[in-house]
Amino acid sequence: MNIVISKIKKHIENNYTQFIKNFLRLLECPSVSTDKEGIEKAVDVIVELLKEVGADVKTYKIDGGNPIIYGEIKGDKNSSIMFYDHYDVQPVDPLDRWISPPFKPRIEDDKIYARGASDDKGNLISRILAVKTLKDSLGELPVNVKFLFEGEEEIGSPSLPKFVINYKEQLKADVCIWEGGGFNKNGRPMIYLGAKGVIYVELRVKRRGDDLHSSWGTIIENPAWRLVSALSTIRDIKGRILIDGFYDEVIDDPEAEELISKINIDRSEIEAMTSNGELIEDLPLPDLLRRWLLSPTVNICGIYSGYVEKGQKTVLPSHGFAKLDIRIVPRMHPDRVLMLLKKHLAKFGFSDVEVEILNHGYPAARTSPNTPQVRLAKLVAEAVSSKEAVVFPNIAGSGPIYLITDILGQPCFSFGVNHPGSNIHAPNENLIINNFMKGILQCSLYLLNFDSWVRLGNAPYLNA
Ligand SMILES: [Zn+2]
């Protein structure tokens, strides 16, 4: 085995206990995005760890938001790699479904259980520990590294756009590794090359006055009926969105199509991820994957109106509200989608349905699988796992990756330490310890090969 790689592996092995300790320290901070106290503790721990590895660290507060932590370490080569992760976490409810307290990390069998273990503290810490590994075992860092860690991802990253625009020069790098990514149940590395965009709106129908006796339902308009009538014009029974022009900008992406054709996961994985949810349409697997990953959609997140408590009450409600998220794919623009939605409602006679924009959202982003940065990630991941990587054109969810790809103009993708049973955003969130360690090695080798790979097309340290 290559002597450099064996040094790195040894270092990770020898520091196993210390690395887990570092991770647990961060997991113990209850950094729910809206809990200021937990946020401060998490920031302190991260700043301390970054300083320990020799980073020049600053924290930035934009409009009173949670601090953005920015760290930079100079390497002895010109290329730069940036890591984006977030230290805030989702709330823990329902608490009674947790087997152990969410901020008292529990190690059982091969996993660590705690809120944030996978989303996203495991990735965040693994990046810092990869840098530590290289510096401690080789005495130098073979590339410049920039850390961009935010504390508001779980509430829609309100500070991040301003920060990226204001500090564009400082954030310049040759690639950005985004949060997420990991290993599937067979241990194959999973790499995601982007994310969908998202818009969040509330449709509101209101009537003058308060609730009425339901006997008026013969002659007085019912906002709940108005709302469901309006909603029913938006999507057909097969899931197709009926808004004129909605799919106009969705174009075939041959690279994405090719990736889809190579994702050989089986149906049971989709069934497991959705608790065996009923399919809108029973399609062959490649078509299901295509729809899941490459299609835009409008989703009803919740509807509320009238009497919804136990038992009965005859009432004609005064209002009906529905919350919708709209997931969009590359080339679709939030402004245009919102305009089309309003036009659609007007066309069907629902001009009285207000469209309240709760989050103006952002566009999708995708990086080509053929960029050298992605090709190296695949090579490294496959060398570390000895298994073929599964490369997804994007996640089915959303993230403001456009800030990196469109504003900074850098390739950006996810490869990390999670697994499909991570329970992110849910009770008993967890991380497989072996994946955490593998992630540190994977990240170390990416850093180690990067400069030579992008300049000379040569990755000398893969024999892992
Ligand atoms: Zn996350």
Side-chain angles (χ1 to χ4, degrees):
M1 186 193 295
N2 182 303
I3 187 158
V4 175
I5 300 178
S6 77
K7 264 188 180 176
I8 289 171
K9 280 186 152 182
K10 265 249 141 55
H11 188 271
I12 296 173
E13 260 170 52
N14 293 344
N15 286 277
Y16 181 93
T17 316
Q18 188 55 42
F19 284 2
I20 299 284
K21 258 192 200 160
N22 286 329
F23 186 24
L24 298 184
R25 270 184 74 200
L26 185 58
L27 290 174
E28 280 161 9
C29 306
S31 52
V32 177
S33 325
T34 47
D35 168 16
K36 291 288 170 210
E37 200 194 321
I39 289 285
E40 273 168 33
K41 277 189 196 153
V43 171
D44 288 347
V45 169
I46 294 166
V47 168
E48 196 187 309
L49 289 173
L50 285 174
K51 284 187 173 160
E52 255 175 52
V53 298
D56 198 355
V57 193
K58 269 191 192 158
T59 56
Y60 297 81
K61 270 195 170 200
I62 309 278
D63 302 332
N66 295 337
I68 287 175
I69 306 172
Y70 178 75
E72 211 176 302
I73 314 182
K74 289 257 169 289
D76 66 351
K77 297 273 169 30
N78 284 333
S79 311
S80 301
I81 295 180
M82 180 156 72
F83 292 109
Y84 162 89
D85 285 288
H86 62 91
Y87 60 84
D88 63 320
V89 298
Q90 282 278 327
V92 296
D93 58 288
L95 190 56
D96 59 344
R97 301 261 308 280
W98 285 79
I99 293 169
S100 52
F103 296 112
K104 284 208 175 105
R106 171 174 59 98
I107 298 181
E108 195 181 304
D109 301 329
D110 58 343
K111 297 193 185 92
I112 296 183
Y113 291 83
R115 169 57 89 228
S118 273
D119 186 14
D120 168 40
K121 292 174 174 175
N123 283 313
L124 188 153
I125 289 287
S126 74
R127 324 295 197 194
I128 302 178
L129 294 177
V131 168
K132 184 170 172 53
T133 296
L134 290 176
K135 284 193 90 174
D136 289 355
S137 56
L138 309 179
E140 60 181 16
L141 195 58
V143 66
N144 300 307
V145 175
K146 302 180 177 192
F147 298 99
L148 171 59
F149 296 153
E150 69 153 319
E152 297 177 318
E153 195 274 344
E154 302 294 2
I155 49 169
S157 303
S159 301
L160 197 63
K162 229 186 209 176
F163 181 76
V164 170
I165 290 163
N166 289 352
Y167 295 93
K168 217 171 149 178
E169 281 310 306
Q170 175 176 319
L171 298 172
K172 284 241 154 84
D174 298 291
V175 67
C176 175
I177 309 293
W178 195 257
E179 68 157 320
F183 306 91
N184 74 5
K185 68 170 194 248
N186 302 317
R188 290 176 64 187
M190 297 188 291
I191 299 172
Y192 297 88
L193 304 184
K196 289 185 186 177
V198 69
I199 306 161
Y200 207 103
V201 297
E202 186 167 88
L203 299 192
R204 296 179 177 172
V205 186
K206 290 181 215 149
R207 195 174 37 67
R208 284 187 293 276
D210 284 332
D211 290 357
L212 289 173
H213 189 282
S214 72
S215 60
W216 287 106
T218 44
I219 61 166
I220 297 295
E221 187 54 278
N222 181 327
W225 275 120
R226 288 289 292 162
L227 182 68
V228 294
S229 301
L231 288 171
S232 71
T233 67
I234 293 177
R235 202 199 81 161
D236 74 11
I237 204 158
K238 289 196 166 169
R240 188 155 175 94
I241 302 305
L242 302 171
I243 298 171
D244 278 348
F246 188 74
Y247 294 100
D248 281 3
E249 289 152 316
V250 185
I251 53 154
D252 282 351
D253 177 344
E255 285 182 345
E257 289 287 339
E258 200 193 329
L259 292 176
I260 294 273
S261 70
K262 288 187 191 153
I263 302 175
N264 48 352
I265 62 173
D266 55 73
R267 267 185 122 82
S268 68
E269 285 185 63
I270 294 185
E271 283 161 10
M273 285 188 278
T274 58
S275 313
N276 220 353
E278 291 79 2
L279 294 169
I280 298 175
E281 209 178 346
D282 197 1
L283 299 167
L285 191 62
D287 293 332
L288 269 187
L289 290 174
R290 198 169 289 123
R291 230 197 237 191
W292 180 42
L293 296 166
L294 307 184
S295 281
T297 194
V298 179
N299 175 59
I300 301 176
C301 301
I303 302 182
Y304 52 111
S305 176
Y307 186 72
V308 289
E309 304 304 320
K310 258 193 182 157
Q312 55 177 330
K313 178 187 179 190
T314 48
V315 66
L316 195 161
S318 63
H319 66 268
F321 293 170
K323 289 181 187 288
L324 310 180
D325 68 61
I326 307 175
R327 303 252 173 210
I328 56 178
V329 300
R331 295 172 70 95
M332 293 175 85
H333 195 282
D335 285 339
R336 182 166 182 276
V337 173
L338 284 167
M339 183 270 290
L340 292 176
L341 172 66
K342 286 179 190 168
K343 233 169 119 178
H344 170 89
L345 291 170
K347 178 181 159 190
F348 283 83
F350 291 104
S351 306
D352 57 315
V353 177
E354 285 172 42
V355 179
E356 178 76 19
I357 299 164
L358 299 187
N359 190 336
H360 183 273
Y362 48 77
R366 199 183 279 154
T367 287
S368 164
N370 297 319
T371 53
Q373 292 87 337
V374 172
R375 281 172 29 231
L376 178 63
K378 194 165 176 280
L379 284 176
V380 167
E382 289 177 347
V384 168
S385 296
S386 307
K387 295 207 164 126
E388 195 193 351
V390 193
V391 183
F392 292 79
N394 48 264
I395 55 169
S398 305
I401 300 182
Y402 80 100
L403 291 170
I404 309 293
T405 52
D406 297 14
I407 309 275
L408 299 179
Q410 295 166 20
C412 183
F413 59 90
S414 308
F415 85 140
V417 301
N418 300 354
H419 72 113
S422 304
N423 288 349
I424 62 171
H425 295 202
N428 306 310
E429 182 174 348
N430 64 81
L431 186 73
I432 298 174
I433 296 173
N434 187 36
N435 286 352
F436 179 64
M437 294 297 165
K438 249 196 320 191
I440 297 171
L441 177 62
Q442 188 172 273
C443 198
S444 304
L445 295 188
Y446 191 78
L447 292 162
L448 186 60
N449 283 293
F450 191 78
D451 186 76
S452 149
W453 176 257
V454 290
R455 280 188 311 109
L456 311 166
N458 177 27
Y461 306 107
L462 288 178
N463 181 22

